[in-house]
Amino acid sequence: MRTDGPVTLVEVAKAAGVSKTTASDALRNSGRVSERTRQLVTSMATRLGYSPNASAQSLRRASTGAIGLHVPEILTRSEYYMSFVFGVVDQAAEMNYDVTLITSKHVPSPGAFHRVDGVVLGDPLETDPVVRGLLGAAVPTVTCERFTGEAVPSGVVRSDHSGMLERLLAHLRSAGARRPALLASSSTTDWGKRLQQTFRAWCEAEGLPVLLREQVFGSSAEVVRDNVRALLADDPALDALVCAPDGSAVAALPVLREAGREVGGDLLLAACVDSVPLQHSDPPITAIDLHPRAAGAACAQLLFDILAGKAPEGTERSLPIGLVERRSTTR
């Protein structure tokens, strides 16, 4: 028997085999829901002991004029995430909406959240309790990249990170790299997991050793430097380094120079997240441009489309990304 708190709408939907929105519409006796589905959801809610929140039930009838945005506090120093935030804010302003930043102090009680009409989650971490609480709330949620846990968001904006990393690795290969390494981000996000999987598969296909070290999100520059030293010690023949975490490529430069390596000479350097410091480093560092501001705007627009009934539950949209080649990958 379940004893760890009130039953959530997500749990009712999962038990009935329907989406969160369908379950909500069925319990409110609204929307395009068949009578059979309505009875199934109602029966399952009764059996599980689900008690709907009155404020949550009225959300789609009375707009709050605001959407929520959650970005983990450990990532707020990241240039990528700050640009993402401004993208959400820009798009919300176009729709005459305000944006409420949601922190760990604003985690909703299970099944209830009535401060905003919906929520945008930037690259949600599987281990983040705020993310789990928001995905269980009775409002639509849109994520930038998929959530790697069990909960399912209302919509997702995704980019082809695997394809772009393969393009970057091929570029390094054509420039003469034979022993590339990846300083990887944690696999607790879809982005981090896909980069690791892609790197391993590419190395295996090329018959190369998999040189990889993972670090948690929000790690300090000193942690980055320790990991770079470890990679150089693991394989002194390493001749290319791809840094996934935002800011890690710039942090790696002093270590590479201390080791007597020449970036753009005997070692090629690239990053999976572009930023202003990469453009002005010496030498400028090749990077993948994730278009964070456009990503934030796309997530907000998808949320508004779901709220307006213009996009169905479970919609996934694609956001193009690109490779910016600079001197760090040219011998």
Side-chain angles (χ1 to χ4, degrees):
M1 180 178 293
R2 187 182 186 281
T3 59
D4 57 346
V7 175
T8 68
L9 179 63
V10 170
E11 290 173 309
V12 174
K14 185 176 181 180
V18 300
S19 70
K20 184 171 69 174
T21 297
T22 298
S24 178
D25 287 344
L27 293 172
R28 294 199 320 270
N29 197 30
S30 64
R32 297 180 179 180
V33 180
S34 69
E35 185 58 32
R36 179 179 178 182
T37 298
R38 199 182 310 280
Q39 290 179 1
L40 172 63
V41 172
T42 302
S43 173
M44 194 59 65
T46 300
R47 191 170 70 123
L48 294 176
Y50 172 72
S51 298
N53 176 273
S55 296
Q57 284 185 313
S58 67
L59 268 173
R60 299 203 179 194
R61 294 192 295 272
S63 169
T64 66
I67 60 172
L69 170 64
H70 173 62
V71 174
E73 291 183 27
I74 61 172
L75 300 177
T76 53
R77 292 170 295 177
S78 161
E79 181 181 325
Y80 170 88
Y81 283 100
M82 288 303 94
S83 294
F84 181 87
V85 167
F86 280 112
V88 174
V89 172
D90 287 345
Q91 196 62 31
E94 289 288 329
M95 304 295 291
N96 293 317
Y97 261 69
D98 294 324
V99 176
T100 298
L101 290 177
I102 300 171
T103 69
S104 57
K105 296 179 181 179
H106 300 99
V107 183
S109 58
F113 197 60
H114 54 271
R115 297 183 182 91
V116 295
D117 289 354
V119 177
V120 171
L121 301 173
D123 202 11
L125 276 68
E126 184 179 339
T127 54
D128 188 344
V130 182
V131 168
R132 294 197 297 270
L134 292 170
L135 287 171
V139 296
T141 54
V142 169
T143 63
C144 185
E145 308 307 331
R146 289 173 176 165
F147 180 58
T148 57
E150 291 186 359
V152 179
S154 307
V156 179
V157 173
R158 304 188 78 204
S159 296
D160 185 13
H161 300 292
S162 294
M164 193 54 61
L165 179 57
E166 288 174 348
R167 178 179 164 185
L168 173 57
L169 292 168
H171 171 68
L172 294 171
R173 185 76 159 156
S174 66
R178 294 298 177 264
R179 298 183 79 80
L182 175 67
L183 178 58
S185 292
S186 170
S187 58
T188 55
T189 69
D190 185 38
W191 174 72
K193 178 181 288 186
R194 278 193 284 160
L195 290 183
Q196 289 198 35
Q197 291 174 339
T198 301
F199 182 74
R200 292 180 187 278
W202 186 87
C203 288
E204 290 169 5
E206 294 288 327
L208 300 174
V210 179
L211 305 175
L212 181 152
R213 288 188 73 89
E214 177 183 312
Q215 66 182 44
V216 300
F217 278 93
S219 293
S220 66
E222 188 54 46
V223 172
V224 172
R225 290 191 282 269
D226 286 344
N227 280 318
V228 173
R229 291 187 186 101
L231 283 168
L232 292 171
D234 289 342
D235 190 345
L238 184 156
D239 60 4
L241 176 62
V242 178
C243 295
D246 190 4
S248 58
V250 170
L253 281 172
V255 176
L256 298 175
R257 288 168 179 153
E258 287 169 8
R261 308 303 296 271
E262 180 188 355
V263 175
D266 67 340
L267 187 141
L268 307 181
L269 180 64
C272 292
V273 184
D274 197 14
S275 65
V276 172
L278 298 184
Q279 302 169 24
H280 300 293
S281 64
D282 183 21
I285 298 171
T286 290
I288 296 173
D289 187 353
L290 301 179
H291 302 299
R293 197 155 187 153
C299 287
Q301 186 58 58
L302 177 53
L303 177 59
F304 288 127
D305 287 347
I306 291 173
L307 288 169
K310 296 179 180 179
E313 184 89 5
T315 295
E316 287 197 7
R317 291 179 178 169
S318 298
L319 178 76
I321 55 179
L323 181 65
V324 183
E325 297 179 17
R326 301 191 180 105
R327 287 193 292 118
S328 60
T329 54
T330 303
R331 293 195 189 280

